[in-house]
Amino acid sequence: MFNEMEMNGKVRDPYRALVDWMDVTGPETLAQKRLEAETLFRKIGITFAVYGEGGDPERLIPFDLIPRIFTASEWRRLERGVKQRARALNTFLYDVYHNAEIIRAGVVPADLVYKNAAFEPAVIGIDPPRRVYSHIVGVDVVRVGPDEFYVLEDNCRTPSGVSYMLENREIMMRMFPELFSKLRIEPVDSYPDQLLKTLKSIAPAKCEGDPNIVVLTPGAMNSAYYEHSFLADQMGVELVEGQDLFVSEGRVYMRTTRGPERVDVIYRRIDDDFIDPLCFRPDSVLGVPGLMNVYRSGGVAICSAPGAGVADDKAIYTYVPDMIRFYLGQEPILNNVPTWKCARPDDLKYVLEHLPELVVKEVHGSGGYGMLVGPASTKEECDTYAERIKANPSDFIAQPTLSLSACPTFVESGIAPRHVDFRPFCLVGDDIRLTPGGLTRVALRDGSLVVNSSQGGGVKDTWIMAE
Amino acid sequence: MLSRTAENLFWLSRYVERAENMSRLLEMGYRMALMPAAGDGNRSEWRSVLSAAGCAEGFDSDNTELSQATVSDYLIFNRDNPSSIINCFEYARANARAMRTAITQEMWEALNGALMELRKTSMRNLAKTDLPGFIDWVKSQGALFRGATDSTILRNDGYDFIRLGTFLERADNTARLLDVKYYVLLPETSMVGDGVDNYQWTTVLRAASSMRAFHWVYRDDYSPWRIAHFLILNPFSPRSLAHCMENVTNHLERLARQYGQRHAVHSMAVDTYSILTQGDMDDIFSNGLHEFISDCLQRYQALSSAIAETYYHGGR
């Protein structure tokens, strides 16, 4: 297992100053600071609700004080790799809703695209502004060695967590100002500005003048509501719910105290299925009736575009390196995790024979739900899961259990290494932008590889060292 | 501004003001109950507090015995009482959370902090003698929120909706405070003008945090006439109906200027305000203070609805 902080018994360079500082500060002060940080989070109201568990609808995500650090050169490589991926994924999205060249060339199987639940026939042939479908790409990256990074998955719809990247930094700067003045850490606070720039750059054809931008949220009960309001606030745009919007004569309007006001760009944080009850789920009360008609006629821009989910499917994921070669003529900078597709008979056979060594995921699942972590499961659990795979092989993929890198983390017993992953956020509009930072998630239980916040994982601040 | 946001801001500040007023009513009941009263062991004071709070029916339906502890519990902690202090803070915070973008971090922290404290408290761990301390705490939370608002929020239409909520609620509250006198006196009208009566009137002043201010204006003339004048017609008293309506009118005017549009609600507000600028205490007393107050309460209700009609249904 690779330890982010130590190698061969020595502290790695990027962590040197941090370790010195922790030694001087001492465990008691750190423990005290940790309590202070939690109070701050609670006071500010930075919360995350978990569906279906009852209990506190405004739960705190455990926050760990010990940052995860990347050197400038590590970051440069990650940055290039993520941008390359975001570019390929967007080209893919445009392609599958237009000429489908990648399918005709036999690189990606047609069924994977057209039978995909996230494929949206309603947007075939639509040319969204700048041909961008996925404007915010969250790429989940893990590290297994000093120079070995793997992409775990791509999130092309509405990746969340960016508010934690910003708030974690805010809290760290409030708690440890002396560290920030001593070290040269790249700032992350330009993200909201860059997001706004990206949203402005995708104004629809019919928009005249400065585009009017809104963030569309399902409401205060949504698990990521804090993030929705945070982003709207930071960008200085309205946070709206479906009930605040309506469609009239081919344009979208919001209800204001001065009467109707036109809306040009919608950063929606609700799923495709819910954005327009006339087009998708008729029972949805979250969306805006008629929105898709306006979208199709170029009266409004929607970020991310409906149908973008077809690119972040776990089965499509396995083809991303091929996409990069096909569209960009480049070799992928970041590797995929080797993946077995249970839809293929040979792969299925291998997976069923090696379940206790593998991680199996549902192709359409998200957030760590419904997966099997072989090494951490009983024989009985594996057997039950095997039955599910056999019933619908094409719904599953499997990957080797990676030895995720670990980062020192505050736990009950003191400071101990815990597994981490990393999600940087890539913005795609007139340009491709990547904020130097991201969200590091940490599995708080000893030995656990599951970092999802819905599964009890925590978060850390991520520092990119300036050159 | 989004219609929903305007409505949330308006009610947010109303709830904060209402929580504070509930504590003022409690303070009043507590002080009145400290006076020796004839016969019923101070219960009429507590009943009058419930009536003025508009909570008498709800309290009665619980079949609880009337006492300082039960009334306090009902007005502070009862989750079924929509006007209880804890519910006011819960609603205010829910409104704030529904439009975090429209309020500042400081305002949010003031509200969130108050509710976090309050959720940890209950009547049981609030010792009998702590009631005045608790009342002060609630008032200071209101002050904290208004202070945070005043020093941090943009002076745009959002500010106007917040202030409209504050002053409409405060006008409503001052009127209700005055009405406590009506309810408490009703069974014993013979006592008008005697020592207990005057004590009760000064208690009204005290509950309006206006003892000192009153003294500066009228010296030590604590006659009912003066006290009622101070709380109804005196434009310099921060809790008087006149002052509240002056602010309501001003903020509605500001909205009219910003939006370049006047509506029926604007003349309604001016009418209501002019009753106070042209009012006369002799007339009010001879026509009945309670009747005057009831009329005011109805007008505030109508104004609140008219503001909603004008600004909260934006578009279609």
Side-chain angles (χ1 to χ4, degrees), chain A residues 1-6 11 15 18-19 22 64-69 405-411 414-420 440 442 444 460:
Chain A
M1 179 186 73
F2 177 67
N3 189 316
E4 298 274 346
M5 186 142 93
E6 281 170 9
V11 174
Y15 285 84
L18 178 74
V19 171
M22 287 201 317
D64 186 64
L65 286 183
I66 304 173
R68 190 254 187 93
I69 308 177
S405 66
C407 189
T409 300
F410 241 111
V411 290
I415 296 174
R418 289 290 182 269
H419 294 297
V420 291
T440 291
V442 53
L444 293 174
K460 282 170 172 291

Side-chain angles (χ1 to χ4, degrees), chain B residues 292-309:
Chain B
F292 178 81
I293 288 172
S294 300
D295 177 56
C296 286
L297 289 175
Q298 267 171 27
R299 283 171 178 276
Y300 303 151
Q301 178 64 44
L303 261 176
S304 185
S305 308
I307 291 171
E309 195 53 48

Side-chain angles (χ1 to χ4, degrees), chain B residues 43-98:
Chain B
R43 268 180 294 177
S44 71
E45 281 83 359
W46 286 110
R47 171 147 296 282
S48 70
V49 166
L50 284 169
S51 304
C55 295
E57 266 180 46
F59 182 87
D60 290 345
S61 67
D62 281 1
N63 279 321
T64 315
E65 202 197 328
L66 196 66
S67 73
Q68 174 173 317
T70 56
V71 173
S72 306
D73 187 44
Y74 191 75
L75 293 182
I76 302 170
F77 299 111
N78 194 305
R79 292 281 181 175
D80 296 329
N81 172 11
S83 297
S84 69
I85 289 173
I86 192 155
N87 274 339
C88 285
F89 275 108
E90 290 278 2
Y91 300 152
R93 182 179 179 277
N95 278 17
R97 193 163 177 266

